Amino acid sequence: MIGLLAVLIGMVLLLPACGQKNVEGTLEELMTKVYADIPEDERPMGLTNIEVTAENVEGFLGTADIEYKEALASEPMVSSIAHSVVLVRVEDESQVDNVMSQIKENVNPRKWLCVGVEEDQVIVKNKGNLIILIMAATDSDKLEAGFDSLK
């Protein structure tokens, strides 16, 4: 009985440790890790990182009404395939659900001239206060796995 009680108390004390931790590192470093399992020659040509600012946030996330600490987009300079990966860091986790909802409701999966992705191919998820938006015609599963592996 005492042993069972000790196990239960131990489990209760460990529960807070099960929550998501915030991912440490610069957005540039984290973006590199997201792409780590995709060989350079299999990535879209001219792939570049672009700081998301008040002037371009609507083009990347669909709305300028999102409150975020910092954001970085990865897109090809010129391409005939749909490809956009955006990392968004919010100030604290209490904002995450709201920001994710705003992205899902407003992002345009057909923002490119002649190409796009289907609504069900838009991936929005988080780790702690870091959110990723993936809209990619290819390799979205590898990009998502790269995000999932962030620590």
Side-chain angles (χ1 to χ4, degrees):
M1 182 73 164
I2 293 175
L4 180 59
L5 184 59
V7 169
L8 288 174
I9 290 171
M11 289 175 62
V12 168
L13 293 175
L14 290 176
L15 278 177
C18 295
Q20 289 186 340
K21 286 177 42 178
N22 289 334
V23 179
E24 299 298 322
T26 68
L27 294 185
E28 291 272 350
E29 293 167 341
L30 299 175
M31 191 69 79
T32 298
K33 291 177 182 179
V34 167
Y35 280 95
D37 289 336
I38 303 173
E40 192 98 19
D41 62 336
E42 293 180 20
R43 298 176 189 174
M45 277 185 16
L47 194 63
T48 189
N49 289 338
I50 306 155
E51 180 184 0
V52 177
T53 65
E55 290 77 33
N56 64 16
V57 66
E58 197 167 343
F60 293 116
L61 299 175
T63 179
D65 295 333
I66 293 176
E67 290 185 35
Y68 62 95
K69 181 177 180 179
E70 60 180 340
L72 184 71
S74 175
E75 292 194 355
M77 294 301 282
V78 177
S79 181
S80 60
I81 65 163
H83 187 94
S84 182
V85 177
V86 185
L87 292 174
V88 179
R89 185 172 278 149
V90 296
E91 200 62 50
D92 64 61
E93 281 187 70
S94 67
Q95 299 170 292
V96 168
D97 290 337
N98 182 45
V99 172
M100 288 176 59
S101 292
Q102 287 181 299
I103 293 170
K104 287 177 188 176
E105 291 171 14
N106 293 292
V107 74
N108 181 2
R110 301 210 53 86
K111 71 179 191 169
W112 304 273
L113 290 178
C114 299
V115 296
V117 298
E118 299 300 320
E119 296 276 341
D120 63 345
Q121 292 176 296
V122 176
I123 299 166
V124 181
K125 61 190 314 184
N126 78 296
K127 283 193 128 188
N129 70 340
L130 184 68
I131 300 167
I132 191 166
L133 163 64
I134 302 170
M135 295 190 300
T138 61
D139 292 324
S140 60
D141 55 335
K142 291 179 182 175
L143 293 163
E144 185 174 7
F147 180 76
D148 290 341
S149 71
L150 295 178
K151 296 180 177 147

